[in-house]
């Protein structure tokens, strides 16, 4: 009997810990293991002033602190779109739409011949329950949450490389299942990293 009671207490303690620390545990495990690798379309490509649209997904330039990442989008003399951060530039490809005379920022672009692009998604191996979450703006709240990570890798024949990594969040509702991964502006989701490797040889 004592063993049963002790086991129940331990199980209850673990359940409470999972509720209160599940997000942190998921983040810790995500450093070592994620699951469900999915390849996603890499076109069309568009810059809308604050994010990249890759295929049909809007990938924000907002960081997990809800501020914009230090990214700049500009053009070179050949009207190619350049992405820069930390003093490094990456040539994405030529612009395909004219400049909007009204000043709208949308830029359609395509990759250059020989470029290799991949856009993939993986999700957390562990979600976490949210029984204490309540939102007065909606009639129901999610039961579970988990993270989804998007990675864009863009390689140039010259050896130049762009890599971008995002963390978005999914909610689970009993009636409808998992939502689409979203940027929540909750100090947990957003653009995590941008790495630019300069060219090693000229094409």
């Amino acid at each position: 009997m004592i063993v049963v009671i002790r086991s129940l207490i331990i199980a209850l303690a673990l359940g409470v810990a999972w509720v209160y620390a599940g997000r942190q545990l998921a983040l810790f495990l995500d450093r070592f293991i994620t699951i469900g690798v999915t390849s996603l379309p890499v076109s069309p490509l568009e810059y809308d002033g604050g994010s990249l649209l890759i295929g049909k997904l809007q990938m924000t330039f907002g960081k997990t602190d809800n501020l914009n990442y230090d990214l700049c989008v500009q053009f070179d003399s050949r009207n190619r779109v350049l992405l820069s951060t930390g003093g490094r530039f990456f040539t994405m490809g030529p612009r395909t739409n004219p400049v909007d005379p009204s000043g709208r920022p949308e830029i359609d672009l395509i990759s250059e011949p020989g470029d290799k692009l991949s856009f993939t998604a993986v999700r957390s191996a562990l979600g976490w329950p949210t029984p204490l979450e309540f939102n007065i703006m909606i009639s129901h709240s999610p039961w579970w949450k988990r993270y989804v990570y998007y990675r864009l890798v863009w390689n140039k024949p010259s050896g130049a490389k762009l890599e971008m990594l995002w963390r978005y969040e999914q909610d689970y509702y009993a009636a409808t299942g998992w939502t689409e991964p979203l940027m929540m502006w909750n100090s947990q989701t957003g653009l995590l990293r941008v790495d630019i490797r300069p060219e090693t040889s000229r094409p």
Side-chain angles (χ1 to χ4, degrees):
M1 186 66 177
I2 295 178
V3 173
V4 173
I5 294 175
R6 184 179 299 169
S7 298
L8 289 175
I9 293 175
I10 292 174
L12 179 61
L14 289 174
V16 172
W18 194 10
V19 169
Y20 283 96
R23 184 190 296 267
Q24 288 72 25
L25 179 58
L27 283 171
F28 176 76
L29 290 178
D30 288 346
R31 299 178 186 177
F32 309 101
I33 181 172
T34 52
I35 61 176
V37 179
T38 303
S39 294
L40 302 169
V42 295
S43 64
L45 292 167
E46 180 186 341
Y47 170 70
D48 67 1
S51 60
L52 277 179
L53 274 67
I54 308 173
K56 296 181 179 180
L57 297 178
Q58 185 176 35
M59 308 310 300
T60 181
F61 284 179
K63 300 183 297 180
T64 55
D65 60 4
N66 298 330
L67 301 176
N68 285 330
Y69 207 99
D70 179 24
L71 289 173
C72 180
V73 175
Q74 53 191 294
F75 304 95
D76 65 8
S77 59
R78 296 164 57 184
N79 203 37
R80 296 180 303 176
V81 182
L82 305 179
L83 183 72
S84 64
T85 184
R88 291 190 170 185
F89 291 80
F90 182 83
T91 303
M92 302 180 78
R95 178 175 187 155
T96 60
N97 65 323
V99 176
D100 191 311
S102 67
R104 292 185 61 86
E106 287 82 2
I107 300 170
D108 297 333
L109 63 143
I110 58 174
S111 59
E112 297 181 299
D115 289 1
K116 294 182 179 180
L117 286 76
S118 68
F119 186 43
T120 56
V122 298
R123 61 178 174 83
S124 296
L126 179 69
W128 62 94
T130 56
L132 304 179
E133 184 169 311
F134 178 73
N135 190 335
I136 63 174
M137 301 299 294
I138 58 177
S139 59
H140 56 284
S141 298
W143 287 34
W144 291 79
K145 290 178 180 289
R146 69 185 181 194
Y147 288 127
V148 174
Y149 296 85
Y150 292 99
R151 187 185 304 273
L152 173 68
V153 179
W154 193 326
N155 287 287
K156 294 280 184 179
S158 65
K161 180 179 179 180
L162 168 68
E163 185 171 355
M164 305 178 73
L165 178 67
W166 292 265
R167 182 172 66 222
Y168 279 18
E169 187 177 283
Q170 281 184 297
D171 293 341
Y172 179 84
Y173 294 91
T176 57
W178 290 102
T179 63
E180 291 296 319
L182 294 173
M183 168 65 173
M184 299 293 190
W185 300 102
N186 58 359
S187 299
Q188 298 291 334
T189 54
L191 179 56
L192 301 178
R193 187 174 72 246
V194 179
D195 293 326
I196 294 178
R197 186 176 68 190
E199 62 182 26
T200 56
S201 62
R202 294 195 175 275

